[in-house]
PDB file of all heavy atoms in Angstrom:
ATOM      1  N   GLU R 256     101.770  82.851 116.755  1.00  0.00           N
ATOM      2  CA  GLU R 256     102.698  83.802 116.091  1.00  0.00           C
ATOM      3  C   GLU R 256     101.936  84.926 115.432  1.00  0.00           C
ATOM      4  O   GLU R 256     102.308  86.117 115.479  1.00  0.00           O
ATOM      5  CB  GLU R 256     103.517  83.100 115.003  1.00  0.00           C
ATOM      6  CG  GLU R 256     104.522  82.097 115.555  1.00  0.00           C
ATOM      7  CD  GLU R 256     105.722  82.766 116.235  1.00  0.00           C
ATOM      8  OE1 GLU R 256     105.909  84.005 116.063  1.00  0.00           O
ATOM      9  OE2 GLU R 256     106.478  82.059 116.946  1.00  0.00           O
ATOM     10  N   MET R 257     100.804  84.553 114.806  1.00  0.00           N
ATOM     11  CA  MET R 257      99.958  85.550 114.132  1.00  0.00           C
ATOM     12  C   MET R 257      99.377  86.522 115.110  1.00  0.00           C
ATOM     13  O   MET R 257      99.338  87.733 114.864  1.00  0.00           O
ATOM     14  CB  MET R 257      98.784  84.794 113.483  1.00  0.00           C
ATOM     15  CG  MET R 257      98.792  84.890 111.992  1.00  0.00           C
ATOM     16  SD  MET R 257      97.403  83.901 111.464  1.00  0.00           S
ATOM     17  CE  MET R 257      97.976  83.612 109.825  1.00  0.00           C
ATOM     18  N   ASN R 258      98.942  86.017 116.248  1.00  0.00           N
ATOM     19  CA  ASN R 258      98.386  86.904 117.293  1.00  0.00           C
ATOM     20  C   ASN R 258      99.428  87.915 117.692  1.00  0.00           C
ATOM     21  O   ASN R 258      99.132  89.101 117.814  1.00  0.00           O
ATOM     22  CB  ASN R 258      97.962  86.075 118.508  1.00  0.00           C
ATOM     23  CG  ASN R 258      96.664  85.333 118.289  1.00  0.00           C
ATOM     24  OD1 ASN R 258      95.911  85.632 117.348  1.00  0.00           O
ATOM     25  ND2 ASN R 258      96.388  84.337 119.073  1.00  0.00           N
ATOM     26  N   ASP R 259     100.677  87.459 117.855  1.00  0.00           N
ATOM     27  CA  ASP R 259     101.732  88.377 118.244  1.00  0.00           C
ATOM     28  C   ASP R 259     102.010  89.400 117.146  1.00  0.00           C
ATOM     29  O   ASP R 259     102.124  90.581 117.429  1.00  0.00           O
ATOM     30  CB  ASP R 259     103.059  87.587 118.431  1.00  0.00           C
ATOM     31  CG  ASP R 259     103.089  86.968 119.817  1.00  0.00           C
ATOM     32  OD1 ASP R 259     102.146  87.279 120.597  1.00  0.00           O
ATOM     33  OD2 ASP R 259     104.004  86.156 120.109  1.00  0.00           O
ATOM     34  N   ALA R 260     102.151  88.901 115.920  1.00  0.00           N
ATOM     35  CA  ALA R 260     102.582  89.785 114.846  1.00  0.00           C
ATOM     36  C   ALA R 260     101.494  90.769 114.403  1.00  0.00           C
ATOM     37  O   ALA R 260     101.824  91.895 114.037  1.00  0.00           O
ATOM     38  CB  ALA R 260     103.050  88.947 113.647  1.00  0.00           C
ATOM     39  N   PHE R 261     100.251  90.338 114.405  1.00  0.00           N
ATOM     40  CA  PHE R 261      99.212  91.191 113.860  1.00  0.00           C
ATOM     41  C   PHE R 261      98.212  91.711 114.921  1.00  0.00           C
ATOM     42  O   PHE R 261      97.217  92.307 114.601  1.00  0.00           O
ATOM     43  CB  PHE R 261      98.399  90.444 112.758  1.00  0.00           C
ATOM     44  CG  PHE R 261      99.298  90.034 111.602  1.00  0.00           C
ATOM     45  CD1 PHE R 261      99.727  88.705 111.488  1.00  0.00           C
ATOM     46  CD2 PHE R 261      99.680  90.969 110.655  1.00  0.00           C
ATOM     47  CE1 PHE R 261     100.561  88.334 110.419  1.00  0.00           C
ATOM     48  CE2 PHE R 261     100.472  90.581 109.597  1.00  0.00           C
ATOM     49  CZ  PHE R 261     100.899  89.282 109.466  1.00  0.00           C
ATOM     50  N   GLY R 262      98.493  91.406 116.176  1.00  0.00           N
ATOM     51  CA  GLY R 262      97.634  91.893 117.251  1.00  0.00           C
ATOM     52  C   GLY R 262      96.259  91.206 117.258  1.00  0.00           C
ATOM     53  O   GLY R 262      95.300  91.789 117.713  1.00  0.00           O
ATOM     54  N   PHE R 263      96.190  89.972 116.785  1.00  0.00           N
ATOM     55  CA  PHE R 263      94.922  89.249 116.813  1.00  0.00           C
ATOM     56  C   PHE R 263      94.742  88.624 118.223  1.00  0.00           C
ATOM     57  O   PHE R 263      95.715  88.526 118.979  1.00  0.00           O
ATOM     58  CB  PHE R 263      94.878  88.125 115.793  1.00  0.00           C
ATOM     59  CG  PHE R 263      94.938  88.567 114.352  1.00  0.00           C
ATOM     60  CD1 PHE R 263      95.120  87.656 113.332  1.00  0.00           C
ATOM     61  CD2 PHE R 263      94.774  89.926 114.005  1.00  0.00           C
ATOM     62  CE1 PHE R 263      95.182  88.030 111.982  1.00  0.00           C
ATOM     63  CE2 PHE R 263      94.828  90.315 112.679  1.00  0.00           C
ATOM     64  CZ  PHE R 263      95.051  89.367 111.666  1.00  0.00           C
ATOM     65  N   THR R 264      93.539  88.106 118.460  1.00  0.00           N
ATOM     66  CA  THR R 264      93.349  87.353 119.697  1.00  0.00           C
ATOM     67  C   THR R 264      92.666  86.040 119.346  1.00  0.00           C
ATOM     68  O   THR R 264      91.631  85.657 119.935  1.00  0.00           O
ATOM     69  CB  THR R 264      92.443  88.172 120.676  1.00  0.00           C
ATOM     70  OG1 THR R 264      91.316  88.659 119.913  1.00  0.00           O
ATOM     71  CG2 THR R 264      93.162  89.297 121.316  1.00  0.00           C
ATOM     72  N   LEU R 265      93.208  85.358 118.381  1.00  0.00           N
ATOM     73  CA  LEU R 265      92.592  84.097 117.911  1.00  0.00           C
ATOM     74  C   LEU R 265      92.802  83.002 118.974  1.00  0.00           C
ATOM     75  O   LEU R 265      93.825  83.001 119.667  1.00  0.00           O
ATOM     76  CB  LEU R 265      93.279  83.662 116.597  1.00  0.00           C
ATOM     77  CG  LEU R 265      92.941  84.531 115.401  1.00  0.00           C
ATOM     78  CD1 LEU R 265      93.909  84.209 114.275  1.00  0.00           C
ATOM     79  CD2 LEU R 265      91.507  84.278 114.942  1.00  0.00           C
ATOM     80  N   PRO R 266      91.841  82.097 119.062  1.00  0.00           N
ATOM     81  CA  PRO R 266      92.027  80.998 120.066  1.00  0.00           C
ATOM     82  C   PRO R 266      93.179  80.101 119.726  1.00  0.00           C
ATOM     83  O   PRO R 266      93.513  79.936 118.521  1.00  0.00           O
ATOM     84  CB  PRO R 266      90.686  80.249 119.986  1.00  0.00           C
ATOM     85  CG  PRO R 266      90.083  80.654 118.664  1.00  0.00           C
ATOM     86  CD  PRO R 266      90.600  81.989 118.293  1.00  0.00           C
ATOM     87  N   ASN R 267      93.744  79.516 120.730  1.00  0.00           N
ATOM     88  CA  ASN R 267      94.922  78.710 120.562  1.00  0.00           C
ATOM     89  C   ASN R 267      94.559  77.288 120.084  1.00  0.00           C
ATOM     90  O   ASN R 267      94.780  76.317 120.778  1.00  0.00           O
ATOM     91  CB  ASN R 267      95.676  78.670 121.907  1.00  0.00           C
ATOM     92  CG  ASN R 267      97.054  78.132 121.721  1.00  0.00           C
ATOM     93  OD1 ASN R 267      97.599  78.173 120.603  1.00  0.00           O
ATOM     94  ND2 ASN R 267      97.633  77.607 122.802  1.00  0.00           N
ATOM     95  N   ARG R 268      94.010  77.203 118.893  1.00  0.00           N
ATOM     96  CA  ARG R 268      93.569  75.920 118.330  1.00  0.00           C
ATOM     97  C   ARG R 268      93.934  75.872 116.877  1.00  0.00           C
ATOM     98  O   ARG R 268      94.507  76.825 116.329  1.00  0.00           O
ATOM     99  CB  ARG R 268      92.073  75.773 118.512  1.00  0.00           C
ATOM    100  CG  ARG R 268      91.644  75.584 119.942  1.00  0.00           C
ATOM    101  CD  ARG R 268      90.239  75.048 120.018  1.00  0.00           C
ATOM    102  NE  ARG R 268      89.226  76.039 119.731  1.00  0.00           N
ATOM    103  CZ  ARG R 268      88.636  76.784 120.645  1.00  0.00           C
ATOM    104  NH1 ARG R 268      88.940  76.669 121.926  1.00  0.00           N
ATOM    105  NH2 ARG R 268      87.742  77.693 120.297  1.00  0.00           N
ATOM    106  N   TYR R 269      93.583  74.794 116.188  1.00  0.00           N
ATOM    107  CA  TYR R 269      93.714  74.780 114.738  1.00  0.00           C
ATOM    108  C   TYR R 269      92.649  75.681 114.150  1.00  0.00           C
ATOM    109  O   TYR R 269      91.465  75.506 114.475  1.00  0.00           O
ATOM    110  CB  TYR R 269      93.523  73.330 114.190  1.00  0.00           C
ATOM    111  CG  TYR R 269      94.695  72.455 114.553  1.00  0.00           C
ATOM    112  CD1 TYR R 269      94.697  71.732 115.733  1.00  0.00           C
ATOM    113  CD2 TYR R 269      95.808  72.346 113.695  1.00  0.00           C
ATOM    114  CE1 TYR R 269      95.775  70.935 116.082  1.00  0.00           C
ATOM    115  CE2 TYR R 269      96.867  71.550 114.030  1.00  0.00           C
ATOM    116  CZ  TYR R 269      96.862  70.852 115.237  1.00  0.00           C
ATOM    117  OH  TYR R 269      97.955  70.060 115.572  1.00  0.00           O
ATOM    118  N   VAL R 270      93.057  76.667 113.402  1.00  0.00           N
ATOM    119  CA  VAL R 270      92.081  77.633 112.860  1.00  0.00           C
ATOM    120  C   VAL R 270      91.946  77.412 111.329  1.00  0.00           C
ATOM    121  O   VAL R 270      92.951  77.161 110.648  1.00  0.00           O
ATOM    122  CB  VAL R 270      92.551  79.077 113.122  1.00  0.00           C
ATOM    123  CG1 VAL R 270      91.677  80.089 112.356  1.00  0.00           C
ATOM    124  CG2 VAL R 270      92.496  79.372 114.622  1.00  0.00           C
ATOM    125  N   VAL R 271      90.731  77.409 110.870  1.00  0.00           N
ATOM    126  CA  VAL R 271      90.492  77.197 109.406  1.00  0.00           C
ATOM    127  C   VAL R 271      89.630  78.340 108.911  1.00  0.00           C
ATOM    128  O   VAL R 271      88.615  78.691 109.492  1.00  0.00           O
ATOM    129  CB  VAL R 271      89.786  75.827 109.187  1.00  0.00           C
ATOM    130  CG1 VAL R 271      89.481  75.643 107.737  1.00  0.00           C
ATOM    131  CG2 VAL R 271      90.652  74.687 109.707  1.00  0.00           C
ATOM    132  N   LEU R 272      90.076  78.935 107.788  1.00  0.00           N
ATOM    133  CA  LEU R 272      89.312  79.980 107.168  1.00  0.00           C
ATOM    134  C   LEU R 272      88.760  79.473 105.865  1.00  0.00           C
ATOM    135  O   LEU R 272      89.510  78.987 105.009  1.00  0.00           O
ATOM    136  CB  LEU R 272      90.215  81.206 106.908  1.00  0.00           C
ATOM    137  CG  LEU R 272      89.522  82.440 106.350  1.00  0.00           C
ATOM    138  CD1 LEU R 272      88.674  83.101 107.469  1.00  0.00           C
ATOM    139  CD2 LEU R 272      90.508  83.472 105.807  1.00  0.00           C
ATOM    140  N   ILE R 273      87.480  79.584 105.680  1.00  0.00           N
ATOM    141  CA  ILE R 273      86.802  79.083 104.472  1.00  0.00           C
ATOM    142  C   ILE R 273      86.247  80.260 103.687  1.00  0.00           C
ATOM    143  O   ILE R 273      85.561  81.093 104.271  1.00  0.00           O
ATOM    144  CB  ILE R 273      85.638  78.099 104.828  1.00  0.00           C
ATOM    145  CG1 ILE R 273      86.196  76.886 105.602  1.00  0.00           C
ATOM    146  CG2 ILE R 273      84.924  77.596 103.590  1.00  0.00           C
ATOM    147  CD1 ILE R 273      86.086  77.027 107.035  1.00  0.00           C
ATOM    148  N   SER R 274      86.626  80.334 102.438  1.00  0.00           N
ATOM    149  CA  SER R 274      86.162  81.462 101.652  1.00  0.00           C
ATOM    150  C   SER R 274      85.351  80.964 100.451  1.00  0.00           C
ATOM    151  O   SER R 274      85.711  79.932  99.866  1.00  0.00           O
ATOM    152  CB  SER R 274      87.367  82.265 101.144  1.00  0.00           C
ATOM    153  OG  SER R 274      88.192  82.578 102.236  1.00  0.00           O
TER     154      SER R 274
END
Side-chain angles (χ1 to χ4, degrees):
Chain R
E256 291 288 346
M257 244 177 203
N258 285 343
D259 278 354
F261 299 102
F263 296 169
T264 47
L265 291 166
N267 193 22
R268 290 197 285 267
Y269 290 88
V270 170
V271 177
L272 184 73
I273 298 96
S274 308

